[in-house]
Amino acid sequence: MRILNYIDGKLQEPVNKKFLDNYQPATGEVYGEIPDSRKEDIDLAVEAAKRAYPIWSSMSPGDRSKHLMNLSHAIEKNLEELAQAESKDNGKPLKLAQTVDIPRARDNFSFFATAILHEENAMHDMGKHAFNYTLRKPLGVVGCISPWNLPLYLFSWKIAPALAAGNCVVAKPSEVTPATAFLLSKLCIEVGFPAGVLNIVHGLGHHAGQAIVEHPDTKAISFTGGTETGKKIAETAAGQFKKTSLELGGKNANIIFEDCDFETAVKTAVKSSFANQGQICLCGSRILIHESIYEKFREAFVEQVKKLRVGPPDAAETQVGALVSLAHLQKVQQYIEVAKREGGNILCGGTEVQLNQPYARGYYLSPTVIDGLAPSCATNQEEIFGPVVTLMPFKNEEEALAIANGTKYGLSATIWTQNLQRAHRVAALLEVGIVWINCWLVRDLRTPFGGSKASGMGREGGRYALEFFTEPKNICVWLNQ
Ligand code: NAD
């Protein structure tokens, strides 16, 4: 697959004609190439977006909605092809791409396409003297930069609200998983999406990504990715007073109280630890268990984890596919070594899984469960972002909260208890942006999505995203003489 940039409605090579290798995680083979775009490509994309902006931003919400719905329908029509491409590019089980990633990308477009049909603006009445009304205006050209773990899902989660609000977009998917963003650009051409409104430029973060952030004419940056990258983006953007929305890393606690629905808690904990090979920012990578049920939980959990089937992403029975890249596999393996040095017990997994040809050089790791580590050690503090989870006992609610809140991150947490008062009390005291009680990853696209502390700044979802991508302007009207 030869991937091209999508600028001004046309597929094109990067100006320097240079390409990077694109790897298939399931086999470890190069299977395509992607543009190694630089500043000059971003300049072209921003110019195209600026030319398209006057028409797109002044279109009625109804007309913008129709264009976005066309994209949603095109994703639905091509769901199978997109799912195959996502699984091949990322290593995730095909079934996951078919049932979660691509349907969600479709829904991201339809959700924001219809949300703008119901928008209302504020009016503040000052009695007989005056009144105010507030316009919400799009920002102009905005940059959207996304990671590799949920490629089209997170790419469209940014692009859809940005476009719906009337902005023109320069977007960069992760260089590790560019395939479905490229297929989306082909769909844009197929459905006649207006040229220049959405531009998709491929390339490395410190080249193409950095150029989007630095460009004086990008008015806002919506970024999802690692905390260190987010920090760099925030520093660059601050100097230009650019709006930023930063969705960053996590080290989420999954808190199991003694009165939980045991079977459901164990089953869901397996999923929240290892779905997408543990490469979801919302995975519960630290499981905190009340000491009275610690051993029982550990036994049941490890037994179920051992049964998870690691295999080729396109095999129907596969539950855990390949990690996204060799570099990432090695990073996760290094963390397992750190855990051993810190004195952790590897209860299961921790080793590479050797599959037969053609998958023998793919990036497979057995789901890994570790216990015996202090909450303060590196394994329990740093984001691993792979199929690795730790178990820790706690004595009481206060200790559970202290451990849960005792990292620099603050993205999400899960609580398992039948005690209603405790559930709400603990939820209120967790220093995170999202809490699930007796469930995990149940999503309503209207709710605020994002983290606190080193997990980010700002919220996505529903009106929060539409507010980020617009600027309020108050207009005061004097009424009496
Ligand atoms: P990353 O930070 O390496 O890259 C993310 C994106 O930023 C890529 O497109 C990359 O090319 C680009 N980039 C890199 N350097 C840049 C720079 N200097 N300027 C501009 N762009 C740059 O992250 P990743 O490895 O792709 O993704 C994994 C991380 O993403 C994990 O930390 C995970 O927790 C996080 N994540 C967070 C959320 C969330 O909603 N909070 C969701 C998914 C993933």
Side-chain angles (χ1 to χ4, degrees):
M1 183 190 258
R2 186 164 211 245
I3 283 170
L4 296 169
N5 290 333
Y6 171 62
I7 297 174
D8 207 10
K10 292 182 278 294
L11 297 176
Q12 44 192 278
E13 292 185 338
V15 174
N16 64 11
K17 310 273 183 230
K18 286 192 181 151
F19 285 80
L20 304 159
D21 287 339
N22 190 19
Y23 287 82
Q24 182 180 356
T27 62
E29 305 291 337
V30 172
Y31 84 103
E33 51 182 12
I34 73 162
D36 184 6
S37 308
R38 305 291 164 106
K39 181 180 175 303
E40 54 270 26
D41 302 289
I42 298 302
D43 289 346
L44 290 175
V46 173
E47 285 313 311
K50 279 165 67 181
R51 282 194 299 277
Y53 181 71
I55 292 181
W56 182 252
S57 58
S58 56
M59 215 177 249
S60 73
D63 286 343
R64 273 208 301 274
S65 177
K66 278 182 203 143
H67 284 298
L68 293 169
M69 283 307 296
N70 287 343
L71 282 181
S72 176
H73 292 143
I75 292 172
E76 170 69 27
K77 209 170 117 199
N78 294 277
L79 198 147
E80 188 52 35
E81 187 198 351
L82 288 161
Q84 300 260 2
E86 200 72 293
S87 170
K88 185 170 184 180
D89 211 28
N90 173 280
K92 67 177 67 212
L94 176 59
K95 209 165 148 204
L96 192 68
Q98 286 166 331
T99 55
V100 177
D101 290 75
I102 308 304
R104 174 61 190 275
R106 171 201 63 203
D107 293 349
N108 287 339
F109 280 106
S110 58
F111 176 83
F112 285 106
T114 50
I116 53 170
L117 301 177
H118 306 273
E119 281 270 273
E120 287 175 8
N121 285 330
M123 195 280 259
H124 297 92
D125 192 356
M126 297 175 73
K128 64 179 180 183
H129 301 299
F131 73 94
N132 300 269
Y133 63 93
T134 309
L135 294 178
R136 289 209 75 97
K137 289 294 202 186
L139 305 173
V141 179
V142 299
C144 296
I145 302 175
S146 58
W148 49 255
N149 63 325
L150 301 166
L152 192 63
Y153 174 136
L154 289 176
F155 193 60
S156 52
W157 182 231
K158 301 183 172 306
I159 289 170
L163 294 171
N167 301 282
C168 290
V169 173
V170 176
K172 193 193 89 60
S174 169
E175 62 275 25
V176 186
T177 53
T180 46
F182 174 57
L183 294 179
L184 179 70
S185 54
K186 286 176 138 185
L187 293 179
C188 287
I189 294 171
E190 212 175 289
V191 304
F193 200 73
V197 170
L198 170 63
N199 303 275
I200 301 176
V201 185
H202 297 269
L204 299 170
H206 60 281
H207 289 148
Q210 184 80 16
I212 295 176
V213 182
E214 283 175 356
H215 199 293
D217 292 334
T218 54
K219 302 297 180 202
I221 302 295
S222 174
F223 169 79
T224 299
T227 294
E228 278 310 306
T229 316
K231 191 172 163 202
K232 199 161 178 213
I233 288 175
E235 283 165 2
T236 309
Q240 296 182 38
F241 303 105
K242 214 169 260 193
K243 250 180 148 177
T244 51
S245 165
L246 305 172
E247 300 296 336
L248 312 177
K251 191 74 181 174
N252 312 311
N254 184 5
I255 309 172
I256 320 278
F257 286 100
E258 66 281 12
D259 62 345
C260 66
D261 168 352
F262 189 81
E263 305 288 307
T264 315
V266 173
K267 199 167 135 226
T268 313
V270 173
K271 206 168 145 198
S272 67
S273 305
F274 300 111
N276 205 38
Q277 298 69 247
Q279 303 167 142
I280 302 181
C281 55
L282 304 163
C283 277
S285 53
R286 296 179 298 149
I287 308 183
L288 320 184
I289 307 145
H290 189 262
E291 59 183 10
S292 65
I293 59 162
Y294 186 78
E295 258 131 59
K296 182 180 167 205
F297 184 94
R298 179 173 63 184
E299 195 180 314
F301 181 73
V302 170
E303 192 190 316
Q304 288 198 24
V305 173
K306 281 182 178 164
K307 287 187 192 147
L308 287 173
R309 285 186 295 268
V310 180
D314 57 356
E317 66 280 4
T318 292
Q319 291 165 297
V320 178
L323 270 70
V324 77
S325 67
L326 181 58
H328 192 58
L329 171 70
Q330 289 168 344
K331 182 189 142 188
V332 177
Q333 285 174 314
Q334 277 163 18
Y335 269 112
I336 295 171
E337 290 311 309
V338 169
K340 286 182 192 164
R341 280 202 300 279
E342 289 180 319
N345 309 314
I346 310 292
L347 301 171
C348 66
T351 51
E352 255 187 271
V353 177
Q354 190 61 47
L355 301 185
N356 295 330
Q357 286 297 4
Y359 305 106
R361 292 174 59 206
Y363 318 132
Y364 301 94
L365 189 65
S366 53
T368 307
V369 183
I370 306 171
D371 83 345
L373 288 171
S376 58
C377 69
T379 311
N380 278 323
Q381 290 291 319
E382 292 171 26
E383 186 187 43
I384 302 176
F385 212 56
V388 179
V389 72
T390 62
L391 310 184
M392 281 178 272
F394 66 84
K395 284 188 176 51
N396 52 36
E397 206 174 294
E398 289 69 36
E399 194 185 15
L401 273 166
I403 299 174
N405 289 337
T407 77
K408 68 175 181 178
Y409 294 107
L411 187 55
S412 72
T414 306
I415 303 167
W416 291 92
T417 177
Q418 301 289 328
N419 179 331
L420 191 65
Q421 287 169 318
R422 172 154 69 191
H424 291 295
R425 194 167 54 231
V426 173
L429 292 171
L430 284 164
E431 294 164 1
V432 296
I434 303 154
V435 179
W436 281 288
I437 297 174
N438 297 329
C439 61
W440 177 71
L441 207 52
V442 175
R443 293 278 294 116
D444 179 328
L445 304 191
R446 294 169 299 178
T447 58
F449 180 88
S452 51
K453 304 199 290 190
S455 292
M457 265 165 49
R459 293 291 180 269
E460 297 186 307
R463 70 178 171 85
Y464 303 89
L466 292 172
E467 279 173 11
F468 174 75
F469 284 116
T470 52
E471 191 153 64
K473 181 192 287 185
N474 189 66
I475 296 164
C476 178
V477 184
W478 184 247
L479 290 177
N480 58 357
Q481 298 298 321

